Amino acid sequence: MTRARRLTVLGAAAALTGSLVAVPAAAGTAAPAPPAADRDGGTTATPQKTPVAVGHGGAVSSVDPDASAAGIEVLRKGGNAVDAAVATAAALGVTEPYSAGIGGGGYFVSYDARTRTVRTLDGRETAPRSAGKDLFLENGKPLPFDDVVTSGLSVGTPGTAATWDTALRKWGSRSLRQVLRPAQRLAAGGFTVDETFRQQTADNEARFRDFPATARLYLPGGKLPVVGSTLKNPDLARTYRELAHQGVGALYDGALARDIVRTVRTPPVRAGSPRTVRPGDLTAGDLRAYRVLSQAPTRTGYRGLDVYGMAPSSSGGTSVAEALNILERSDLSRLSEKQFLHRYIEAARIAFADRGRWVGDPAQEDVPTKALTSQRFADARACLIHDDKALTSPLAPGDPRHPARCAGAGRAAPTTYEGENTTHLTVADKWGNVVAYTLTIEQTGGSGIVVPHRGFLLNNELTDFSFAPAAPSVHDPNLPGPGKRPRSSMSPTIVLRHGRPVVALGSPGGATIITTVLQTLVNHLDRGMPLVEAIAAPRASQRNAARTDLEPGLWNSPVRRQLEALGHAFKENPEIGAATGVQRLPDGRWLAAAEKVRRGGGSARVVHRS
């Protein structure tokens, strides 16, 4: 990075944080300038990864270079941010199939530059209408988690294709047929296998071998895919072509719908497999009844900014907002690293305690969204934090409906498990529109079941429900129910100042998504880090658990011992999340930022005016 470019990035961060002092990146850590093939915004046979890029004509940031290239192609041809987001997501269904695809669901947050408004789509999967609270109980006891993951029982009605269709119809400028073309070509022509893809395949090899359709696709010739080889998915190319010509209704009421239902109800297990694969109860009626929900975002003020997120059924928007509201009373820019991390960890702990008690599908649960995101409630909870002593988990929740200073509202309950493999993309266009979109099939590899001859994996999203109440005497708003959406932690976030974009971001990572987004935001907005450095910084994740997860950069640092002296307990986690983001610079250009190392590094790309 040239000195002039470095100053541009740091100056942008300073402009966002007002009087706060910018913290420059350590020498030698700045990302290189994009190669020529990326700078012109064109698609190449083998797109190169770069974690940061700056340009005028729009930006795309995702974990994968082919997917980012697909979004850039649509932007260059005049599409807007919504069009490019769908194109990028469809390409991720090819290259990141263990994280996302039309067999899953997600949350779409969009900023409209003309009206200066943020709007959202809830494309979360839903349980079959036959599901009850005992969905995952057998003889009154919860089924083993691993048994449920690889089964038809865990598959929810997919929402991704319906989300694409709804977003394009409401806010796009291109047809589904047009935006699916890059992904269709990619599926037919193939993508280059990298070490991350091979390792994820290896981690799933045993269960993939138990489903012939999955094995044929992801274990070519019966072996793990070789790094550097080309993996093609002609079945998915045909499926995308069918959706392009017939519309996404084919997935919800057509031959494709029938194939999904058959696969869920009679999982196609190989003959002789010792694996018990439970069938699900998804019906054609469940698919026909599926609807994407258009709803208002969560919103909270933070240091003169407006932070917008995803409202329930996701817990991301409420939890990020509550934690930010707790932290707003502290001048984080002036704190030592120990003090900063202590308060950040405690704010996350409190937000997760309240999330567990209050957040579920608002169609079936009474979720006090506005109260959870209020400053009044945050102030009542913030007084629990003491600079000389860590809180202990599980922490009891507060009552956002009747905030009382430092008071709990019932018994504490631990945070239930949530699968960690998701993907996030962030897009902006030359008109100033922005999209933050997080999508998933839940576990790495989802249910492990590819729909035969269709080329995509089905989700195991229903395992995001609590199998049983986390604590018997505490109401759990996340138990299964008929047509219910399981609680999620996905946190696509857009930040505005005076109605104009400042930054947008999100991350995969299950329940760690919330802490990743929170920590990246405060790194950037409070600590003055350039966006790419805020993303790259080592992470801590506290989710109302006895121990806080630490990445190696913090685990191996002196600050861990300083925090342990306050009573914090930790466990090492090699990698937390994989964020992407875009930032509007003061001169009107877009900065795209992605991971430098996590998940093999991300792909930030921009369009430059010719």
Side-chain angles (χ1 to χ4, degrees), residues 279-599:
D281 196 32
L282 189 73
T283 67
D286 291 319
L287 287 172
R288 285 194 299 269
Y290 185 82
R291 296 293 182 271
V292 171
L293 304 179
S294 299
Q295 60 189 49
T298 60
R299 177 198 165 278
T300 192
Y302 187 70
R303 308 199 193 284
L305 304 171
D306 293 303
V307 181
Y308 292 89
M310 195 68 219
S313 57
S314 178
S315 64
T318 56
S319 300
V320 170
E322 181 181 352
L324 286 175
N325 287 338
I326 290 171
L327 291 171
E328 188 163 18
R329 302 305 190 196
S330 303
D331 186 350
L332 302 181
S333 67
R334 297 181 179 276
L335 298 181
S336 67
E337 186 180 19
K338 181 192 81 169
Q339 293 170 323
F340 162 68
L341 286 170
H342 170 66
R343 294 191 193 180
Y344 153 73
I345 288 169
E346 299 295 61
R349 188 194 312 269
I350 293 168
F352 267 89
D354 298 327
R355 161 198 188 264
R357 169 61 183 84
W358 299 104
V359 181
D361 182 351
Q364 300 188 31
E365 301 288 339
D366 183 12
V367 184
T369 300
K370 288 186 177 180
L372 282 167
T373 58
S374 70
Q375 190 63 52
R376 181 183 175 213
F377 180 55
D379 290 344
R381 300 290 279 160
C383 64
L384 294 170
I385 300 175
H386 298 284
D387 286 340
D388 59 349
K389 184 179 180 181
L391 294 165
T392 57
S393 289
L395 183 72
D399 188 343
R401 303 165 304 177
H402 307 289
R405 183 174 174 79
C406 300
R411 291 185 57 189
T415 298
T416 53
Y417 175 78
E418 185 176 331
E420 296 186 356
N421 212 40
T422 300
T423 195
H424 178 82
L425 61 97
T426 320
V427 180
D429 65 30
K430 62 184 178 182
W431 298 284
N433 303 302
V434 180
V435 171
Y437 182 22
T438 314
L439 59 161
T440 185
I441 59 171
E442 174 58 2
Q443 197 87 353
T444 307
S447 65
I449 307 171
V450 165
V451 180
H453 311 297
R454 294 298 189 173
F456 63 91
L457 285 154
L458 291 171
N459 69 82
N460 65 291
E461 211 64 62
L462 301 188
T463 59
D464 269 356
F465 284 122
S466 304
F467 285 24
S473 62
V474 179
H475 175 71
D476 190 331
N478 192 41
L479 294 173
K484 192 174 183 179
R485 296 170 190 242
R487 181 174 61 209
S488 170
S489 295
M490 289 184 271
S491 306
T493 301
I494 296 177
V495 180
L496 307 181
R497 173 181 278 128
H498 306 310
R500 297 186 183 278
V502 172
V503 67
L505 73 157
S507 176
T512 70
I513 293 172
I514 291 169
T515 57
T516 294
V517 169
L518 174 64
Q519 189 173 0
T520 304
L521 281 173
V522 294
N523 279 347
H524 182 54
L525 300 176
D526 290 291
R527 307 289 280 180
M529 293 183 186
L531 184 57
V532 70
E533 302 301 338
I535 288 172
R539 293 179 182 140
S541 181
Q542 168 54 238
R543 305 181 300 282
N544 197 25
R547 295 189 292 171
T548 299
D549 287 11
L550 289 186
E551 287 188 325
L554 291 173
W555 177 265
N556 297 321
S557 75
V559 75
R560 173 166 69 94
R561 290 184 290 275
Q562 296 170 12
L563 290 167
E564 286 172 339
L566 298 179
H568 289 280
F570 299 106
K571 62 178 179 177
E572 189 174 11
N573 187 329
E575 186 174 281
I576 299 173
T580 74
V582 298
Q583 174 190 356
R584 189 69 155 178
L585 299 179
D587 63 5
R589 293 183 300 164
W590 288 109
L591 180 148
E595 296 286 355
K596 293 182 175 184
V597 177
R598 297 181 185 95
R599 285 206 189 179

Side-chain angles (χ1 to χ4, degrees), residues 236-323:
L236 183 57
R238 286 190 291 271
T239 299
Y240 277 169
R241 189 179 305 117
E242 184 174 333
L243 294 177
H245 288 272
Q246 299 181 21
V248 300
L251 190 146
Y252 296 95
D253 189 13
L256 178 52
R258 291 192 291 273
D259 287 347
I260 291 172
V261 170
R262 185 183 307 113
T263 303
V264 171
R265 298 181 70 87
T266 310
V269 189
R270 70 173 172 86
S273 169
R275 187 183 301 273
T276 299
V277 182
R278 291 174 170 81
D281 196 32
L282 189 73
T283 67
D286 291 319
L287 287 172
R288 285 194 299 269
Y290 185 82
R291 296 293 182 271
V292 171
L293 304 179
S294 299
Q295 60 189 49
T298 60
R299 177 198 165 278
T300 192
Y302 187 70
R303 308 199 193 284
L305 304 171
D306 293 303
V307 181
Y308 292 89
M310 195 68 219
S313 57
S314 178
S315 64
T318 56
S319 300
V320 170
E322 181 181 352

